[in-house]
Amino acid sequence: MRIRKTVIILLSVLFLTGTAHSQLYSNLREVFAEAESFFLFEEYDDALFLYRKLLADNPDNHYVIYRIGLCYLNMPGQKKRALEYLEKAAGNIDFSRFSFRPGYRTVKAPPDAIFYLGKAYHVNYLFEEALETYQWFLDVMDERVYDPEVVKEHILASENAIKSTNYPVFFNKVRLDEQINTRFSETNPVVSGDESVLIFIRELPFYNAIFMSRHENGKWGVPVEITTDLGCEGDCFPTALSHDADEIYLYKTDDYIGNIYVSRYENGEWGTAEKLNNNINTEYWESHASITKDGKTLYFTSNRPGGHGGLDIYKSHKNEKGDWGPAINLGKPVNTPYNEETPFITEDGSTLYFSSHGHFNIGGYNIFYSVKMDDGEWSVPLSAGYGINTPEDDLFFHPVKNGRYAYMSRVNYEFEDTPLDIFRYEIFSDTHPRKFSLSGIMSLTEGLSVSSMARVHIIDAVTGDTIVSTSPRATGEWETKVEAGEYLIAYEERDHRSLTRRVSLKDDQEKSEIRLEAFLEPEYRLPGEITELSDDPGIPFDIDLPEESAVRQRHIPEPVPAEPGKKAADTIPPDTVKTEDPPFCRPYEEEAEYSPGEITEDTEEVSRPVRERNYIFFLLLLIVLIAAFVAKTRFYRSRKNDNEQG
């Protein structure tokens, strides 16, 4: 496709130098013919330019409107624009002819404009509208022309998508830096086992270039093009990098047959890629390969005879001579009557990730994984989850660290031209839960530094269990990491009133770093009374827990021994008497809803003795100021009198 595009451009330069692109055609009939040719070869950018020229000449041509909609539908990042045009096209359909043959004078859209409108709704996450539109097409289509089973499969995908929205997978997605991602599209990322080497495709004008970058000092280095080193001419794509980054596996189109090649890194450079043997490559189509960590098993795709339909996943073992042995079809349940593509095996060799048109599909290629069981068979594939899977084609999901992380190329909607960029995913699960960074500063209202006795306790608000207890530094700074959940952050310092705050951390929230500030007030004490802080790993002070919690409340302040002639209760300050609902913590059942990462206001109230002490302090300060003012006034009057007498 790109070769054909290059030839067209070169011919234009040679024979029509100095002529604008819009003047290449003597009449609109030629414009139409060339637009249809570009569309046939999937050169949608060029086809779109010419269709828009035709539409400017005749704004009511619904066939051209239909074609523009299809161009947008097939262009990365432009699928939302397809809706406007396909909705218009679906309003003027030609049902009169059995076989729709478009021509320059065609002004109505074909019936399949309705079907593609359904696809446009689907890829834009309008699943209910997609269902209605697919059903509309199913009711009006001519079964002599269109296959109803294909339409039913799309209906099923929309139904599956609606179900999947209730079960999203949680992940964190980070776009690689500007050294890797540019104004061009970057695709096919493959990485070494330690993620120190990255090889990828950059779609430059006229050809796809292969680049390599090394991760050093915490960042990716400037990529170096290795296309020529690999001996790649024409369309050539990386499919896998060995664990130690000393072998790269490549797919070459080879006149649209498709074959797998390997290049080895020796003496500081990549060698010319060599075609794998006939056990791997056949006269049929081989499109992708992935290598195990030990380099002894190759997983690859082929549509050779004897499979289950379309592209199937095969494996081959390397023999003692270093040659690849006979191909073995993985069989059911991995392979389906549909296409399976881009398989990747994890480091431990136990999980196979791949893309498929089959299985529980929500549209296009979706990503699935299958686990190798003890008997060597593969489990029923499961979806990678809604969010990782989208209504569009999801291909080339490269797992690392046994699937806890992955690299993948996605449309970057932050840019107007929406190129494909490379992202690194962190996927959260029961075995790899999301971690949040909690940090903050604990301050004393009188401006003193916190003591070595200060404590910050992270408490599970549901169970009452203390997850973490940490000591702040002298500056009051502290930090820790916790999983998603509902927490109470409890602060303690000698001779200061304890303080608690509530934090809600959700798996799907954007922020992973939460910072808190806390100010502790001095506590009223009887003369000679000493408070001991608890190192108990449980709850550091009384918290009103939910009824279902079996955690007992501990560390209740002990009464001060009674003085002679007085009852013990008479010597206990009001603030140290345990009540059913402590003033610093509301009952759990009465908590309001909190947004992810939201922090409640301090719930500690200033005690009455503290308030009274503050009033006395300010009153004394006022008296001192007044006395100073009076004394200063008398001093100046006396000095003035002395000057007058002198």
Side-chain angles (χ1 to χ4, degrees):
M1 294 182 290
R2 293 187 177 275
I3 294 174
R4 178 184 182 279
K5 180 179 178 181
T6 304
V7 171
I8 291 174
I9 294 174
L10 290 175
L11 289 174
S12 300
V13 173
L14 289 173
F15 298 106
L16 299 170
T17 303
T19 304
H21 187 72
S22 61
Q23 296 174 321
L24 287 174
Y25 312 96
S26 59
N27 56 59
L28 293 177
R29 187 184 300 274
E30 293 182 12
V31 175
F32 177 83
E34 192 62 21
E36 291 285 273
S37 179
F38 275 126
F39 188 91
L40 178 64
F41 282 91
E42 300 180 1
E43 298 289 348
Y44 298 112
D45 286 329
D46 299 291
L48 178 63
F49 176 83
L50 298 177
Y51 284 131
R52 294 188 71 88
K53 179 179 175 63
L54 293 168
L55 187 64
D57 181 71
N58 183 5
D60 295 325
N61 189 320
H62 285 76
Y63 176 78
V64 172
I65 292 172
Y66 155 76
R67 283 303 212 196
I68 291 175
L70 286 187
C71 286
Y72 282 130
L73 189 61
N74 286 282
M75 294 167 61
Q78 304 294 326
K79 301 183 189 299
K80 186 174 291 186
R81 296 186 180 183
L83 287 172
E84 174 188 356
Y85 292 92
L86 291 175
E87 285 175 342
K88 290 181 180 178
N92 194 349
I93 299 293
D94 185 356
F95 292 103
S96 62
R97 289 180 286 179
F98 165 71
S99 180
F100 189 91
R101 292 185 175 88
Y104 169 65
R105 297 187 180 278
T106 304
V107 294
K108 289 189 175 182
D112 59 15
I114 302 172
F115 172 77
Y116 288 112
L117 175 59
K119 288 192 68 174
Y121 283 135
H122 185 86
V123 299
N124 284 287
Y125 296 85
L126 301 171
F127 303 127
E128 296 288 354
E129 289 85 346
L131 278 175
E132 295 177 3
T133 307
Y134 285 140
Q135 189 59 54
W136 172 25
F137 183 66
L138 197 62
D139 293 339
V140 301
M141 74 178 195
D142 189 333
E143 294 189 12
R144 294 172 296 178
V145 181
Y146 305 104
D147 186 354
E149 294 304 317
V150 173
V151 183
K152 291 176 182 178
E153 289 169 6
H154 282 78
I155 290 175
L156 179 61
S158 292
E159 293 173 343
N160 290 343
I162 293 172
K163 297 175 184 176
S164 296
T165 57
N166 298 318
Y167 306 99
V169 65
F170 300 116
F171 59 86
N172 186 33
K173 184 176 72 172
V174 177
R175 178 179 178 266
L176 271 58
D177 59 34
E178 302 299 330
Q179 294 283 18
I180 306 300
N181 292 311
T182 65
R183 62 188 180 92
F184 301 106
S185 286
E186 281 76 27
T187 64
N188 291 57
V190 294
V191 293
S192 58
D194 61 359
E195 300 182 73
S196 65
V197 179
L198 171 69
I199 295 178
F200 60 96
I201 286 287
R202 179 170 291 162
E203 296 183 1
L204 299 176
F206 310 133
Y207 78 109
N208 296 314
I210 302 176
F211 283 84
M212 180 179 73
S213 177
R214 296 187 181 276
H215 197 268
E216 297 173 341
N217 300 320
K219 61 182 181 180
W220 290 106
V222 177
V224 177
E225 186 176 352
I226 59 173
T227 312
T228 304
D229 297 343
L230 299 172
C232 289
E233 297 179 1
D235 288 337
C236 181
F237 304 88
T239 69
L241 187 63
S242 64
H243 188 270
D244 297 328
D246 55 5
E247 287 185 342
I248 181 172
Y249 289 82
L250 303 148
Y251 160 77
K252 284 189 176 184
T253 55
D254 285 349
D255 296 325
Y256 303 100
I257 295 176
N259 288 303
I260 305 300
Y261 288 71
V262 64
S263 172
R264 295 175 177 83
Y265 190 75
E266 297 174 345
N267 301 320
E269 60 183 10
W270 289 101
T272 301
E274 301 174 356
K275 186 177 177 180
L276 300 188
N277 67 24
N278 292 335
N279 286 324
I280 307 300
N281 292 310
T282 66
E283 59 182 319
Y284 298 93
W285 186 25
E286 283 73 41
S287 62
H288 184 92
S290 173
I291 191 74
T292 55
K293 180 180 179 180
D294 61 10
K296 295 181 179 180
T297 305
L298 189 76
Y299 291 87
F300 66 99
T301 51
S302 175
N303 68 345
R304 65 189 64 187
H308 294 270
L311 286 167
D312 278 0
I313 301 175
Y314 291 79
K315 69 177 179 179
S316 174
H317 299 292
K318 185 177 289 186
N319 60 28
E320 296 178 354
K321 296 181 179 180
D323 296 325
W324 292 110
I328 303 170
N329 191 302
L330 263 59
K332 296 179 179 180
V334 172
N335 291 317
T336 69
Y338 305 93
N339 284 337
E340 276 67 51
E341 258 285 25
T342 60
F344 286 94
I345 189 72
T346 55
E347 294 177 35
D348 58 12
S350 66
T351 307
L352 183 71
Y353 286 83
F354 62 97
S355 296
S356 175
H357 270 296
H359 302 294
F360 185 83
N361 192 285
I362 66 170
Y365 279 105
N366 281 176
I367 301 161
F368 299 88
Y369 66 92
S370 178
V371 178
K372 184 184 288 186
M373 298 181 288
D374 294 338
D375 60 0
E377 297 296 320
W378 293 95
S379 67
V380 174
L382 297 176
S383 170
Y386 184 79
I388 297 293
N389 283 324
T390 71
E392 302 185 52
D393 285 333
D394 305 303
L395 290 157
F396 220 92
F397 182 84
H398 188 316
V400 292
K401 303 291 188 296
N402 293 321
R404 294 193 295 272
Y405 301 89
Y407 287 78
M408 195 176 185
S409 182
R410 295 282 203 190
V411 171
N412 185 5
Y413 290 99
E414 295 179 7
F415 292 85
E416 185 176 351
D417 54 356
T418 59
L420 289 164
D421 282 345
I422 298 173
F423 292 84
R424 184 178 186 265
Y425 286 75
E426 181 180 9
I427 298 96
F428 306 117
S429 63
D430 292 340
T431 57
H432 182 62
R434 183 178 183 182
K435 293 286 188 179
F436 294 86
S437 176
L438 279 179
S439 65
I441 184 167
M442 175 178 173
S443 303
L444 307 180
T445 56
E446 61 269 42
L448 301 176
S449 299
V450 298
S451 72
S452 60
M453 300 297 293
R455 296 288 186 274
V456 178
H457 305 276
I458 314 299
I459 304 165
D460 189 312
V462 177
T463 66
D465 295 332
T466 298
I467 308 301
V468 177
S469 289
T470 184
S471 299
R473 294 185 285 273
T475 59
E477 295 279 349
W478 62 274
E479 63 275 333
T480 190
K481 289 185 178 295
V482 295
E483 299 175 7
E486 301 285 334
Y487 295 99
L488 298 172
I489 315 300
Y491 302 86
E492 278 191 322
E493 169 65 300
R494 173 181 290 182
D495 298 328
H496 287 75
R497 291 180 60 80
S498 299
L499 181 69
T500 185
R501 304 179 98 178
R502 184 185 180 92
V503 176
S504 178
L505 304 176
K506 305 293 186 183
D507 272 319
D508 59 346
Q509 74 181 56
E510 183 177 352
K511 292 176 60 178
S512 292
E513 298 180 356
I514 309 299
R515 185 168 177 82
L516 311 166
E517 291 187 3
F519 296 89
L520 271 61
E521 294 279 355
E523 185 174 21
Y524 172 78
R525 296 291 179 194
L526 292 177
E529 183 181 0
I530 299 176
T531 301
E532 295 292 339
L533 298 184
S534 174
D535 290 326
D536 190 330
I539 302 175
F541 48 84
D542 294 330
I543 294 177
D544 193 18
L545 295 171
E547 295 181 0
E548 63 270 18
S549 174
V551 180
R552 293 178 301 144
Q553 298 190 1
R554 298 187 290 273
H555 198 62
I556 301 173
E558 296 293 335
V560 178
E563 298 179 11
K566 292 185 180 181
K567 296 181 181 180
D570 295 335
T571 66
I572 302 176
D575 287 50
T576 63
V577 178
K578 183 183 186 302
T579 61
E580 183 177 356
D581 294 319
F584 54 82
C585 184
R586 292 172 292 175
Y588 179 83
E589 294 84 342
E590 297 178 2
E591 291 290 347
E593 293 294 328
Y594 297 94
S595 60
E598 183 179 356
I599 305 163
T600 65
E601 296 296 327
D602 299 346
T603 54
E604 182 68 42
E605 295 182 2
V606 181
S607 62
R608 180 177 177 183
V610 172
R611 291 197 301 269
E612 292 176 353
R613 185 180 63 186
N614 290 340
Y615 296 154
I616 294 172
F617 173 77
F618 286 115
L619 181 60
L620 290 174
L621 179 61
L622 181 62
I623 293 172
V624 170
L625 292 174
I626 293 173
F629 177 76
V630 172
K632 190 173 182 179
T633 302
R634 290 178 177 177
F635 171 76
Y636 280 114
R637 287 180 178 178
S638 174
R639 186 172 180 179
K640 181 178 181 182
N641 293 335
D642 292 341
N643 291 335
E644 291 176 353
Q645 293 176 2

